[in-house]
Amino acid sequence: MPQKPLVIVTRKLPEVIEARMGELFEARFNRTDIPMTEEELAAALAEADVLVPTVTDKLDAALLAKAGPKLKLIAQFGTGVDNIDVEAAVKRKITVTNTPSVLTEDTADMTMALILAVPRRLNEGARLLRNNRGKWPGWSPTWMLGHRIGGKKLGILGMGRIGQAVARRARAFGLEVHYHNRKPVNPVIEKELQATYWDSFDRMLREIDILSINCPHTPATFHLLNERRIAIMKPDAYVVNTARGEVVDQEALITALEEGRLGGAGLDVFEREPAIDPRLLKLENVVLLPHMSSATVEGRSEMGERVLINIRVWMDGEKPPDRVIPAIL
């Protein structure tokens, strides 16, 4: 174990985190914050003892095969690791870590914001005032009518930390909480959240008014919300996604929205980020955000702290606390 391992960071991190890294390690930073090319990532993998990537860095098996013998830790700056072939990394005896828990509350806040914004047409109202330079006809009994969320049924896809945090917020707004997960959560938690478990995703979709997607992107969840499942939802239902764009068949979602077979959508993530399908930009009943649900100063700093902890524990010859195990993905 080198006394000061070479840590290569692929994107610009909060200044306080970069300063700490510079003190603790031989650190190399990406000052431009421009995503590394495949060739640059390959060079970093070949040279580093520790790589600190983000969700924008695709580390597949072919690229990981170019890793040098020194590389023993990939300390992801982020919770999701769908950009990394974890199994391929582990086969090469490279430990992969992430930064769980620290983004839970921030992401749940933004999810709840979208759950409120779409039915109440917040985006449409704000855009109308801006486009008309503040001019509007004044209050009217029938103008800009949306839908209340109190009493509606919220279906949560993925009842992990974020899903549970969303459920707590939803209860405060009077929503009925329903959820689909690989298995039911602890009965104590289920009782606290007053949540109803559905073992069938299809059956839940037929009943709910709002779907919140809070599951990770894995091979099993790719296009989990597909054309067939969108077709069985209520025609005035809403879809909110702050997880990963790949969980939704975006083409099928857009078609349903264009044809009026869904009430609307709130999307913070997209299937082919950073590209945005131009058809989404034309839809009035869609709120679009640039993957910012976890974008808080506090959250990013705490992510950096988790990365530092994982690297320090690894340096001490111990197993980092946030190791990602392929079997649980």
Side-chain angles (χ1 to χ4, degrees):
M1 181 75 63
Q3 187 174 7
K4 274 199 169 186
L6 173 59
V7 177
I8 298 180
V9 185
T10 66
R11 299 296 297 269
K12 185 172 177 57
L13 303 184
E15 290 183 9
V16 64
I17 300 301
E18 290 192 344
R20 292 274 307 282
M21 284 186 169
E23 294 171 359
L24 296 169
F25 322 122
E26 181 187 344
R28 189 179 300 167
F29 302 107
N30 180 353
R31 301 297 186 187
T32 66
D33 199 34
I34 297 172
M36 287 185 172
T37 64
E38 186 174 325
E39 291 73 20
E40 289 170 332
L41 283 171
L45 287 166
E47 189 178 0
D49 296 295
V50 179
L51 184 74
V52 179
T54 71
V55 67
T56 61
D57 304 304
K58 186 172 179 56
L59 304 175
D60 57 21
L63 196 57
L64 289 169
K66 300 176 182 179
K70 294 197 307 175
L71 184 68
K72 296 300 178 186
L73 177 64
I74 296 175
Q76 171 96 327
F77 183 87
T79 300
V81 291
D82 49 307
N83 59 306
I84 303 170
D85 189 328
V86 178
E87 189 171 350
V90 171
K91 284 181 180 178
R92 297 185 64 85
K93 294 183 168 42
I94 301 169
T95 299
V96 178
T97 62
N98 64 347
T99 60
S101 303
V102 297
L103 304 180
T104 299
E105 301 304 322
D106 296 330
T107 304
D109 284 345
M110 191 64 82
T111 302
M112 198 66 222
L114 288 171
I115 289 171
L116 289 164
V118 180
R120 292 303 305 273
R121 304 175 65 181
L122 264 63
N123 200 40
E124 294 176 67
R127 187 164 52 238
L128 183 145
L129 290 179
R130 287 186 178 276
N131 291 346
N132 292 284
R133 298 183 179 181
K135 294 180 180 179
W136 60 298
W139 183 87
S140 165
T142 58
W143 190 60
M144 288 299 293
L145 299 182
H147 290 276
R148 69 169 57 142
I149 65 168
K152 298 296 192 297
K153 295 179 180 179
L154 171 67
I156 297 175
L157 175 61
M159 199 60 136
R161 296 183 187 93
I162 294 173
Q164 291 174 31
V166 171
R168 290 188 180 94
R169 287 158 174 76
R171 290 297 307 167
F173 281 90
L175 283 154
E176 285 185 27
V177 176
H178 301 256
Y179 74 100
H180 172 72
N181 212 34
R182 284 185 290 185
K183 58 182 181 180
V185 298
N186 185 293
V188 174
I189 295 174
E190 191 172 83
K191 183 177 180 181
E192 173 205 341
L193 300 176
Q194 299 178 50
T196 301
Y197 174 68
W198 294 78
D199 60 0
S200 166
F201 185 35
D202 286 10
R203 286 171 54 207
M204 184 181 81
L205 284 177
R206 289 188 175 94
E207 298 297 326
I208 60 172
D209 303 295
I210 304 167
L211 174 67
S212 176
I213 298 171
N214 301 108
C215 64
H217 169 223
T218 68
T221 63
F222 177 74
H223 281 190
L224 196 58
L225 186 65
N226 54 25
E227 181 179 10
R228 179 186 66 78
R229 286 188 166 123
I230 290 171
I232 65 177
M233 296 180 71
K234 295 178 181 179
D236 56 353
Y238 302 98
V239 174
V240 170
N241 189 4
T242 56
R244 285 290 186 268
E246 292 83 358
V247 178
V248 178
D249 182 340
Q250 187 169 279
E251 183 71 25
L253 177 66
I254 292 171
T255 300
L257 289 165
E258 288 178 332
E259 294 177 356
R261 292 186 284 110
L262 281 176
L267 307 175
D268 184 50
V269 289
F270 307 91
E271 191 168 355
R272 287 171 287 276
E273 289 185 24
I276 305 294
D277 191 306
R279 291 174 297 171
L280 285 171
L281 301 173
K282 298 176 183 178
L283 291 166
E284 288 290 336
N285 58 343
V286 176
V287 178
L288 305 175
L289 298 176
H291 202 148
M292 57 183 282
S293 63
S294 63
T296 66
V297 172
E298 297 85 354
R300 294 288 190 255
S301 296
E302 289 175 12
M303 288 169 69
E305 292 292 341
R306 295 303 305 177
V307 170
L308 289 169
I309 289 169
N310 283 314
I311 298 174
R312 289 297 300 274
V313 172
W314 168 80
M315 286 177 63
D316 291 338
E318 303 293 335
K319 293 179 179 179
D322 300 319
R323 285 181 306 138
V324 179
I325 310 300
I328 67 173
L329 295 177

